[in-house]
Amino acid sequence: MVLAAPTASHRPRRRSDRLIRFVAKPVVFVACLLPLAWLAWHVAAGELGANPIEKMNRFLGDWALRFLLISLAVSPLREIGGWPVLMRFRRMLGLFAFTYVVLHLSSWIGVDQFFAWAHIWADIVKRPYITIGMGAFLLLIPLAATSTAGMIKRLGAKRWKRLHMLVYPAAALGCAHFFMMVKADIREPLIYAGILVALLGWRAATRRWLAISRPSPSSRGSVAPIPPPVSSAPPR
Amino acid sequence: MLIRFRNSCDPAGSEITPESVYINRRRFLAGGAAAAAAMMSGLAVPAAAQGKAAPLPGDIGKSSLSTDEVQTPFDAVTRYNNFYEFGTDKEDPARYASQLKVRPWALTIDGLCGKPGTWDVDALIKANRLEERVYRLRCVEAWSMVIPWVGIPMADVLKQAEPLASAKYVAMQTLLDPAQMPGQRRSILEWPYVEGLRLDEALHPLTILCVGLYGQVLPNQNGAPIRLIIPWKYGFKSIKSIVRLTFLETMPPTTWNRSAPDEYGFYANVNPAVDHPRWSQKRERRIGEFFRRDSLPFNGYAEQVAGLYAGMDLVKWF
């Protein structure tokens, strides 16, 4: 099977690598910030409608979920489209998902509820959709914390990958969180859930739960090949 | 559909409308409807709302039942609506409700009454004294507004049909017309939208059939041409674009109750002590304000209406 075979890129084509590092990655980085820029612009201009706090909260939640699904789409797209280069962007996308989750949570706690801790705690405990949302956030914390190359080395690729399977339940909880909060029109949350089912279904069908964990045919051992998706540095 | 950016050329949100701009009731009454209309066009009212912004005929009386709380700007009142017949987004009604043909409009009153019949809404407006009622509106979604409605006490209208002694409830129905109401092409709710009141609730002096707001003809997105306003209940009880009122002996079904019986009761009185299963009803965000405020029993109208429910378990009859 064609993988992002480290052997293939072992003799790095320096030009294309530089292109990814200094052009493509910054472009994707800026693109990921666009929703935030849109939000900042509309907050500053007072153009978020009659209930700007609600709109900001929903907007950040929408993008948190979208980035989670985009991160989860990287592996399938890489395999189906044969674009190993996509893996170079996965960590960034995942960290943006976490960033939007944190912003979503912060806007709920700090703006919507304005640090009314008693009410916040009561909501987390009593409202299943909020409990579930908090659960998704908690599951994502260790993933963000172990996103560095150093943490991958320290944990070992195998354990690191196993830990990062937490993104699957986190995304499922995120979709459930959205589904459970709407009043009657469930079309939009169903679209998100459908995409998640497709992304997880692909993994189930192809048994690629561990994403890039298939040992390469040359069997380079379990530690040496640092997974390309999470490594920003070219394999040496 | 999935990624919905708001149109960036939309007018600025109400939260930045300067205090000096929005219409103060007294100033409005003094200045007359023409001045009010001019000021409102200064607020960049969307075309849909502007097109319908015609003054109501005749004098509009004041009412001691009005609150003197700060009124929610016209712009917010007409651009942040739940009217699922035109879509489930808050901005959808302002966008799409202009399609609705609101004149002529027939209101049928039937069921257990001596004089059933059909009334033309304009004739009804001319035949009855219009009153301004500045009421708090508390949505079940935990936001609220203060709106200067204009309407006719519902009792005045219902009594014209001479309800029989056996009549205990009033069933109400919104227009069913998917051609004009695109939201009705999807079964998000069971159409047509239906609501109901106990007859004593319907006859209560606070309850009005509303035909206008801010001194003008009711904008389509707010439920034109005629809607219910019952201020001590969650907003979804105040059914919009009514075509039929029917006197009944038994409790009629209501749309949200049918959709989620454990979440929306028949009574739906504002009650901070009874949470919605999925969110708290203890506090609300008054549109235009940053901090949430405490919600009040019966939306602050307990003095006038608590007696209607004496002896009832309001947790059971939520």
Side-chain angles (χ1 to χ4, degrees), chain B residues 5-6 13-14 24 94 134 152 244 250 252 257 281 286 298 315:
Chain B
F5 283 100
R6 302 295 166 232
S14 61
N24 167 294
V134 187
I152 307 161
R244 181 181 293 267
T250 52
N257 178 257
Q281 297 290 26
R286 178 70 50 86
F298 300 103
V315 174

Side-chain angles (χ1 to χ4, degrees), chain A residues 214-226:
Chain A
R214 300 182 119 208
S216 75
S218 57
S219 114
R220 299 171 57 86
S222 60
V223 180
I226 287 172

Side-chain angles (χ1 to χ4, degrees), chain B residues 12 25 51 63-64 70 72 98 118 139 149 163 191 263 277 281 285 311:
Chain B
R25 182 163 64 101
S63 169
S64 58
V70 173
T72 307
S98 56
T118 297
C139 179
W149 305 107
W191 309 115
E263 299 190 345
Q281 297 290 26
R285 166 157 294 111

Side-chain angles (χ1 to χ4, degrees), chain B residues 135-148:
Chain B
Y135 285 159
R136 292 176 287 277
L137 170 77
R138 170 60 156 82
C139 179
V140 75
E141 297 165 358
W143 53 265
S144 64
M145 295 183 180
V146 176
I147 303 174

Side-chain angles (χ1 to χ4, degrees), chain A residues 103-159:
Chain A
L103 289 171
H104 173 56
L105 180 63
S106 308
S107 99
W108 179 61
I109 290 176
V111 183
D112 188 352
Q113 300 289 330
F114 199 69
F115 309 105
W117 295 110
H119 291 283
I120 291 166
W121 180 247
D123 271 353
I124 292 172
V125 176
K126 275 163 82 175
R127 318 286 163 205
Y129 87 91
I130 294 178
T131 317
I132 280 175
M134 284 302 293
F137 167 67
L138 294 177
L139 289 179
L140 290 174
I141 292 174
L143 309 198
T146 58
S147 63
T148 59
M151 285 306 288
I152 298 164
K153 265 187 199 143
R154 207 175 304 173
L155 283 171
K158 218 172 180 178
R159 270 195 297 169

Side-chain angles (χ1 to χ4, degrees), chain B residues 51-66:
Chain B
K52 301 290 169 193
L56 284 159
D59 291 333
I60 299 169
K62 288 192 203 181
S63 169
S64 58
L65 294 167
S66 287

Side-chain angles (χ1 to χ4, degrees), chain B residues 74-311:
Chain B
F74 180 86
D75 205 29
V77 173
T78 54
R79 290 171 46 80
Y80 189 78
N81 307 101
N82 277 327
F83 197 172
Y84 280 17
E85 280 81 349
F86 296 102
T88 52
D89 247 33
K90 294 284 189 292
E91 288 93 348
D92 281 343
R95 247 180 246 140
Y96 304 120
S98 56
Q99 304 164 21
L100 183 65
K101 191 169 174 282
V102 294
R103 294 290 190 287
W105 189 277
L107 173 66
T108 299
I109 307 182
D110 58 8
L112 302 171
C113 59
K115 284 188 178 168
T118 297
W119 280 260
D120 174 70
V121 161
D122 280 330
L124 203 67
I125 291 172
K126 283 201 187 88
N128 289 276
R129 185 170 176 272
L130 295 182
E131 269 186 39
E132 187 186 56
R133 300 287 182 93
V134 187
Y135 285 159
R136 292 176 287 277
L137 170 77
R138 170 60 156 82
C139 179
V140 75
E141 297 165 358
W143 53 265
S144 64
M145 295 183 180
V146 176
I147 303 174
W149 305 107
V150 178
I152 307 161
M154 194 184 198
D156 293 357
V157 177
L158 293 182
K159 279 172 185 166
Q160 289 169 34
E162 297 179 4
L164 303 177
S166 54
K168 298 283 184 285
Y169 293 89
V170 183
M172 302 171 286
Q173 189 183 314
T174 297
L175 176 71
L176 176 65
D177 188 351
Q180 294 193 78
M181 296 178 146
Q184 290 179 338
R185 291 170 212 160
R186 297 173 192 274
S187 51
I188 286 158
L189 292 171
E190 212 173 305
W191 309 115
Y193 195 95
V194 290
E195 259 304 336
L197 295 172
R198 232 167 49 190
L199 189 58
D200 58 345
E201 297 174 324
L203 296 177
H204 191 278
L206 278 169
T207 310
I208 61 168
L209 287 174
C210 166
V211 297
L213 58 82
Y214 272 110
Q216 302 181 356
V217 170
L218 194 63
N220 284 8
Q221 62 267 36
N222 293 89
I226 188 162
R227 67 169 298 179
L228 178 76
I229 294 294
I230 184 156
W232 69 91
K233 293 176 181 284
Y234 293 119
F236 68 86
K237 290 295 289 184
S238 290
I239 184 169
K240 301 182 176 85
S241 302
I242 304 172
V243 292
R244 181 181 293 267
L245 303 171
T246 306
F247 294 104
L248 297 173
E249 192 165 5
T250 52
M251 187 183 279
T254 59
T255 293
W256 277 103
N257 178 257
R258 275 201 293 217
S259 166
D262 57 324
E263 299 190 345
Y264 311 99
F266 173 83
Y267 285 94
N269 293 316
V270 176
N271 190 348
V274 178
D275 285 339
H276 186 283
R278 286 184 283 150
W279 56 83
S280 166
Q281 297 290 26
K282 288 184 186 64
R283 297 183 304 157
E284 66 200 46
R285 166 157 294 111
R286 178 70 50 86
I287 295 302
E289 291 181 354
F290 180 77
F291 296 104
R292 286 174 181 264
R293 51 167 73 209
D294 288 336
S295 292
L296 302 172
F298 300 103
N299 200 23
Y301 298 97
E303 201 182 310
Q304 292 98 320
V305 302
L308 295 174
Y309 311 100

